[in-house]
Amino acid sequence: MIPDILRIWGASPTSNVGLIWVFNIFLFSYLIGSIPFGILISKLFKLGNIRDIGSGNIGATNVLRTGHKKAAFFTLIMDISKGFVVVYLAKEFLGITASHFAALGVFFGHLFSIFLFFKGGKGVATFIGIQIVLNIYLGIFICITWISIAIISRYSSLSSIISSILSLFILIILNDLSYIWVQIILVFSIITSHRGNIV
């Protein structure tokens, strides 16, 4: 089964990871990440265009501003799930290297959705889904840290920034540097996506 999948992606079982293989994994993951669940779920619950509400973001936090907790919950679960599922499948069937590029693809798909003219969310929920696959302990740490800071500060943006930055230090403490380069890119992108909140 593995050889067949590798051939679909454009690589042979014995070859090094080629550019075509990497590009196809990234592209497929990007398309899945681009699915704007916040908009789809908001329409399902007849909440209007979520981009015209609050911050205009398509994530669960902005959906919550409509006052519909169930819609916000479903948005959160789906955004986490797309990060989890894409990276899990890549890791399970194509290997750890594939999961790294899948992580980047699904994450940037959420931030710059092709279905929304390269606009999107801030990526925190998808980031959490990715972490659960790559390092379950780090994923749990980020969730606990995010919730704790959000409760204390009442700012989801602050909790997102701090928990993502701390994740880099936790990876070092856990001595798991296998995907530190991926983590640096993801964390930097989360901080950048929150630049308006920082200002």
Side-chain angles (χ1 to χ4, degrees), residues 161 164-165 186-196 198:
I161 293 170
S164 63
I165 291 175
L186 297 181
V187 171
F188 177 78
S189 299
I190 286 179
I191 295 173
T192 302
S193 71
H194 286 86
R195 58 188 179 278
I198 295 174

Side-chain angles (χ1 to χ4, degrees), residues 56-81:
N57 190 266
I58 64 170
T61 300
N62 203 42
V63 175
L64 185 61
R65 292 190 176 100
T66 65
H68 205 298
K69 295 182 179 180
K70 185 179 291 187
F73 175 76
F74 284 138
T75 300
L76 176 66
I77 293 301
M78 294 307 295
D79 283 344
I80 290 176
S81 296

Side-chain angles (χ1 to χ4, degrees), residues 155-176:
Y155 285 103
S156 62
S157 57
L158 180 63
S159 57
S160 299
I161 293 170
I162 293 178
S163 59
S164 63
I165 291 175
L166 288 177
S167 71
L168 292 173
F169 295 98
I170 298 301
L171 269 185
I172 295 173
I173 292 173
L174 294 174
N175 196 29
D176 184 0

Side-chain angles (χ1 to χ4, degrees), residues 25-85:
I25 291 175
F26 182 90
L27 179 60
F28 176 78
S29 303
Y30 170 82
L31 292 175
I32 299 299
S34 289
I35 300 175
F37 285 112
I39 291 178
L40 297 177
I41 292 173
S42 294
K43 288 184 177 181
L44 180 65
F45 284 93
K46 298 179 180 180
L47 302 177
N49 188 348
I50 191 64
R51 288 178 290 177
D52 295 330
I53 300 172
S55 64
N57 190 266
I58 64 170
T61 300
N62 203 42
V63 175
L64 185 61
R65 292 190 176 100
T66 65
H68 205 298
K69 295 182 179 180
K70 185 179 291 187
F73 175 76
F74 284 138
T75 300
L76 176 66
I77 293 301
M78 294 307 295
D79 283 344
I80 290 176
S81 296
K82 67 182 177 183
F84 175 87
V85 171

Side-chain angles (χ1 to χ4, degrees), residues 64-142:
L64 185 61
R65 292 190 176 100
T66 65
H68 205 298
K69 295 182 179 180
K70 185 179 291 187
F73 175 76
F74 284 138
T75 300
L76 176 66
I77 293 301
M78 294 307 295
D79 283 344
I80 290 176
S81 296
K82 67 182 177 183
F84 175 87
V85 171
V86 168
V87 178
Y88 174 79
L89 291 177
K91 184 178 181 181
E92 185 72 14
F93 294 106
L94 297 173
I96 187 65
T97 300
S99 70
H100 295 164
F101 289 103
L104 292 175
V106 71
F107 182 78
F108 283 114
H110 183 79
L111 261 63
F112 309 105
S113 172
I114 193 172
F115 305 120
L116 301 177
F117 302 101
F118 303 104
K119 295 182 179 180
K122 296 183 178 179
V124 179
T126 303
F127 174 75
I128 291 174
I130 291 170
Q131 301 307 315
I132 292 174
V133 178
L134 296 182
N135 190 313
I136 182 63
Y137 301 109
L138 182 60
I140 293 173
F141 170 82
I142 293 173

